Amino acid sequence: MGKAGGRSNYLNTSAETVGEGLVVASHGNRGILETSAGVKHQYILKGRKLSAVCGDIVHWEPLVSSVHVRVTAISERRNTLSRPNSRGQTEVMASNLDQLVLVTAPLPLPDFSLIDRFLCAADLQKISTVILWNKSD
């Protein structure tokens, strides 16, 4: 993340005071969002009820004396790619997908059951899918 010796790629140094952004990395209640101008901000979610994933369109506000911004709301999702978690509850992995690219290779042997599950999930959400078969000579 960022340049060696600092986090200059993600500092909140723009003139933006409030806005909308696209989540490009998500780690629990923190992550990185990118504005339409291409500016990246590290974010913290406001409250425990918000849960952002990559692909979410979020609304944010600056935090006083911090390099982070606070995500205050998440726009309605067009679609989601989900899976069951260890407790059997649905966990959203990504949202607002236009296309899913499944990359596989002959070695190690692909898990065709997993590929099939991704294909079915994408089909249910009307997400265009490509299977990319990679190989090494």
Side-chain angles (χ1 to χ4, degrees):
M1 249 191 208
K3 295 179 182 173
R7 294 190 258 178
S8 61
N9 287 344
Y10 304 105
L11 292 178
N12 184 10
T13 57
S14 72
E16 296 171 284
T17 57
V18 65
E20 193 175 80
L22 173 69
V23 174
V24 295
S26 175
H27 313 284
N29 71 339
R30 296 174 179 264
I32 299 170
L33 65 85
E34 185 172 346
T35 67
S36 60
V39 178
K40 291 183 181 176
H41 299 282
Q42 292 184 25
Y43 72 79
I44 300 172
L45 295 175
K46 179 181 181 180
R48 293 179 177 242
K49 293 185 179 182
L50 287 180
S51 178
V53 296
C54 288
D56 276 338
I57 304 297
V58 296
H59 301 275
W60 59 270
E61 63 189 17
L63 288 172
V64 179
S65 67
S66 176
V67 296
H68 294 84
V69 298
R70 178 183 6 237
V71 169
T72 57
I74 300 171
S75 296
E76 185 176 346
R77 294 170 172 157
R78 227 177 40 245
N79 57 41
T80 61
L81 187 60
S82 305
R83 68 175 181 187
N85 65 17
S86 60
R87 296 180 301 272
Q89 300 166 329
T90 300
E91 177 182 33
V92 178
M93 297 184 300
S95 69
N96 302 319
L97 294 152
D98 295 319
Q99 185 174 55
L100 177 65
V101 179
L102 300 173
V103 180
T104 189
L107 292 174
L109 290 175
D111 182 345
F112 291 108
S113 175
L114 181 63
I115 293 170
D116 190 49
R117 290 188 351 227
F118 274 113
L119 290 171
C120 289
D123 186 57
L124 283 172
Q125 293 291 322
K126 309 286 188 254
I127 301 167
S128 144
T129 309
V130 173
I131 299 175
L132 176 63
W133 188 261
N134 192 14
K135 69 175 190 84
S136 175
D137 291 325

